[in-house]
Amino acid sequence: MTLDELVNQVILDVPEAPIMTIRDQIKRMARELCQEADAWVVEGIVVVAAKSGYPQVLTPENGEVLRISALKDTDRPLKANFDFEQKRPDQITMLRDTKSDTLTGRLACRPAVGADLPDALLNDHADAIADGARWRLLLMPQPWRNPEMATYYQTQYRSGTTDAKRLASFGHARGGIRVKARQFI
């Protein structure tokens, strides 16, 4: 899904709204969804120069770091407030020495203000973002205002936020839990 496709979906429900206003609300709701539910998670190298005393958290392109959700030193998981401390999103302090100078893990991020939305976020959470944009647009004091429909879309957005939180807590896994069936004797 692209931003233009998302705009085309939202404009069907709010046809009088200007396209730029719709785009702004979509970007706003994408940032809010990421803030509330860790909807955009970047995996890979998270921290560089861990042994130097001045470790740096890598920021994704067109994004802002919210928090480190998982961190590993080679194969050993590191614990927050025991092995490392993160007082600000872009700053980390190592409380214990590490084996490696680069640490891998997962970063919860959000799109930067005015930046393009990442494909992963649009593909995984397009419906929730669109519902949130409709909710905000329908509450604006404009000719297209419709508080009743705004309440409906707010409920849909909150449901999408809950789903995004669930995905984030289970490591963005797709599908259900698979259980091996018991043998029939």
Side-chain angles (χ1 to χ4, degrees):
M1 168 124 347
T2 65
L3 181 60
D4 291 334
E5 291 171 345
L6 203 55
V7 168
N8 290 336
Q9 281 184 3
V10 172
I11 205 165
L12 293 174
D13 295 312
V14 192
E16 299 91 11
I19 290 177
M20 291 309 293
T21 304
I22 293 173
R23 287 170 93 61
D24 289 344
Q25 288 303 316
I26 288 172
K27 289 181 179 183
R28 174 186 179 191
M29 295 314 295
R31 284 177 54 86
E32 191 172 310
L33 181 68
C34 290
Q35 182 76 34
E36 291 179 13
D38 292 349
W40 181 28
V41 175
V42 177
E43 295 185 11
I45 296 175
V46 173
V47 177
V48 294
K51 290 182 165 188
S52 70
Y54 299 100
Q56 298 293 314
V57 178
L58 294 180
T59 304
E61 185 178 345
N62 294 330
E64 300 172 357
V65 175
L66 294 173
R67 68 193 63 81
I68 295 174
S69 58
L71 194 60
K72 282 186 176 182
D73 179 19
T74 55
D75 292 335
R76 184 177 68 96
L78 301 177
K79 296 178 187 174
N81 298 323
F82 185 71
D83 294 315
F84 70 94
E85 190 174 53
Q86 187 180 18
K87 291 184 179 177
R88 291 190 352 220
D90 60 344
Q91 184 181 18
I92 185 171
T93 305
M94 301 307 299
L95 302 176
R96 293 180 165 223
D97 291 336
T98 60
K99 292 179 186 175
S100 177
D101 205 31
T102 57
L103 306 176
T104 60
R106 297 174 49 195
L107 285 176
C109 303
R110 69 178 176 189
V113 176
D116 291 333
L117 301 179
D119 292 337
L121 182 61
L122 286 174
N123 292 334
D124 293 343
H125 304 289
D127 292 336
I129 294 168
D131 289 336
R134 290 180 190 107
W135 164 41
R136 298 292 179 159
L137 286 164
L138 290 168
L139 284 180
M140 288 182 167
Q142 298 295 329
W144 61 80
R145 181 178 171 90
N146 187 341
E148 293 82 19
M149 284 302 293
T151 303
Y152 169 76
Y153 285 118
Q154 179 185 19
T155 305
Q156 294 299 312
Y157 172 74
R158 295 290 181 220
S159 175
T161 302
T162 302
D163 289 343
K165 285 180 185 176
R166 181 183 47 79
L167 283 173
S169 67
F170 292 120
H172 293 273
R174 295 257 179 224
I177 299 173
R178 296 178 187 222
V179 178
K180 185 175 180 181
R182 297 172 86 186
Q183 290 184 345
F184 181 74
I185 299 177

